[in-house]
């Protein structure tokens, strides 16, 4: 795993880098938030270790800035600080840090924190893979529905339109953008009390196909 370490104190940076590399990780170590942003612009880092006190932009401000970016929730951020006051630690978590570690660093605690990060990053990667697979399935289904010769539309449990394909637009003589979010029975009152309504309600309540 590639880890971005941001620590302005040279000796501390080298020691921490060496300790983390012993766990088999690749560590890119920089001394400021500006350098960190340069690295983030060209490489992907699932795990960031930020010192709170940095020259220029602080580690906590960098943390807050990263969380506001697209996909900013995909980082695991460990904030390292000499501040042990409860309010300071609450501030770190509010800024978006997943975890924190106080100085002077305890090797045992460092290993525990890294183990926690490794587990959460694995779980995040699995969720992202599942989300990507779901999005791909949705794109495939949409492509099939848009190219079928049958009209297809979908409504949510409140009977509001959520999807229409192009053939449904032709059959209903309405554009999908005009129907999204609107109630089926209000837009097409002629369908009330019809066999269509009875069958559709059965499908929605019983989750069974109806010919």
């Amino acid at each position: 795993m590639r880890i971005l370490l941001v620590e302005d104190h040279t000796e501390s940076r080298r020691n921490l880098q060496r300790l983390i590399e012993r766990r088999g990780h690749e560590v890119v170590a920089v001394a400021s938030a500006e350098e960190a942003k340069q690295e983030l612009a060209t490489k992907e880092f699932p795990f960031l270790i930020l010192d709170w006190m940095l020259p220029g932009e602080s580690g906590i401000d960098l943390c807050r800035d990263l969380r506001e970016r697209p996909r900013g929730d995909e980082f695991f951020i460990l904030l390292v600080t000499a501040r042990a006051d409860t309010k300071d630690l609450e501030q770190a978590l509010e800024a978006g840090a997943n975890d924190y570690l106080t100085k002077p660093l305890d090797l045992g605690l460092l290993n525990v924190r890294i183990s926690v990060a490794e587990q959460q990053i694995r779980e995040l990667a699995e969720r992202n893979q599942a989300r990507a697979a779901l999005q791909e399935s949705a794109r495939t289904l949409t492509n099939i529905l848009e190219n079928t010769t049958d009209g297809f539309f979908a409504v949510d449990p409140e009977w509001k339109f959520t999807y229409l394909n192009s053939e449904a637009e032709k059959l209903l003589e309405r554009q999908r953008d005009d129907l999204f979010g609107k109630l089926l029975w209000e837009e097409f009152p002629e369908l009330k009390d019809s066999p269509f309504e009875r069958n559709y309600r059965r499908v929605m309540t019983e989750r069974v196909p109806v010919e």
Side-chain angles (χ1 to χ4, degrees), residues 47-206:
F47 186 11
L48 282 69
I49 301 176
L50 311 178
D51 187 30
W52 184 310
M53 300 301 294
L54 294 170
E57 185 178 4
S58 69
I60 196 168
D61 287 336
L62 175 59
C63 178
R64 191 177 292 110
D65 175 61
L66 293 174
R67 289 302 190 207
E68 292 174 354
R69 297 185 179 189
R71 298 177 59 189
D73 60 338
E74 296 182 5
F75 299 112
F76 186 97
I77 299 179
L78 173 64
L79 197 66
V80 179
T81 175
R83 307 181 182 205
D85 186 86
T86 301
K87 291 184 178 179
D88 291 325
L89 300 179
E90 288 176 352
Q91 184 182 352
L93 296 177
E94 289 172 359
N98 298 92
D99 205 347
Y100 60 85
L101 195 60
T102 56
K103 294 181 179 179
L105 295 179
D106 178 279
L107 182 57
L109 286 177
L110 174 63
N111 282 319
V112 169
R113 294 298 198 273
I114 294 176
S115 294
V116 170
E118 290 168 344
Q119 177 64 30
Q120 292 194 21
I121 289 168
R122 281 194 297 269
E123 292 174 355
L124 177 61
E126 291 171 358
R127 289 197 298 269
N128 288 340
Q129 289 174 358
R131 180 173 59 187
L134 183 61
Q135 291 172 339
E136 181 60 30
S137 296
R139 284 192 293 267
T140 300
L141 179 59
T142 300
N143 185 57
I144 292 171
L145 292 175
E146 288 298 326
N147 289 284
T148 185
T149 56
D150 297 323
F152 178 89
F153 69 85
V155 295
D156 63 17
E158 296 180 350
W159 301 97
K160 294 179 180 180
F161 283 98
T162 59
Y163 176 78
L164 291 87
N165 68 356
S166 56
E167 288 299 319
E169 288 181 310
K170 296 175 184 177
L171 290 171
L172 298 176
E173 298 181 341
R174 297 281 295 277
Q175 295 295 312
R176 65 187 77 185
D177 290 344
D178 295 333
L179 292 174
F180 285 161
K182 295 182 179 178
L183 288 171
L184 169 63
W185 312 119
E186 290 182 359
E187 296 302 312
F188 299 95
E190 66 273 17
L191 296 177
K192 291 285 291 182
D193 301 320
S194 68
F196 173 85
E197 181 187 7
R198 289 192 293 274
N199 287 334
Y200 212 143
R201 288 188 182 278
R202 183 185 173 195
V203 169
M204 292 288 283
T205 56
E206 300 179 15

Side-chain angles (χ1 to χ4, degrees), residues 9-51:
H9 188 275
T10 303
E11 191 62 28
S12 296
R13 184 170 65 250
R14 289 174 180 169
N15 289 337
L16 192 52
Q17 180 176 4
R18 184 170 59 254
L19 290 171
I20 298 170
E21 287 176 339
R22 288 178 182 174
R23 295 180 65 98
H25 298 302
E26 174 189 350
V27 180
V28 176
V30 297
S32 68
E34 182 180 355
E35 291 177 300
K37 290 179 178 179
Q38 292 172 356
E39 292 292 339
L40 288 164
T42 59
K43 303 182 185 73
E44 289 191 2
F45 295 91
F47 186 11
L48 282 69
I49 301 176
L50 311 178
D51 187 30

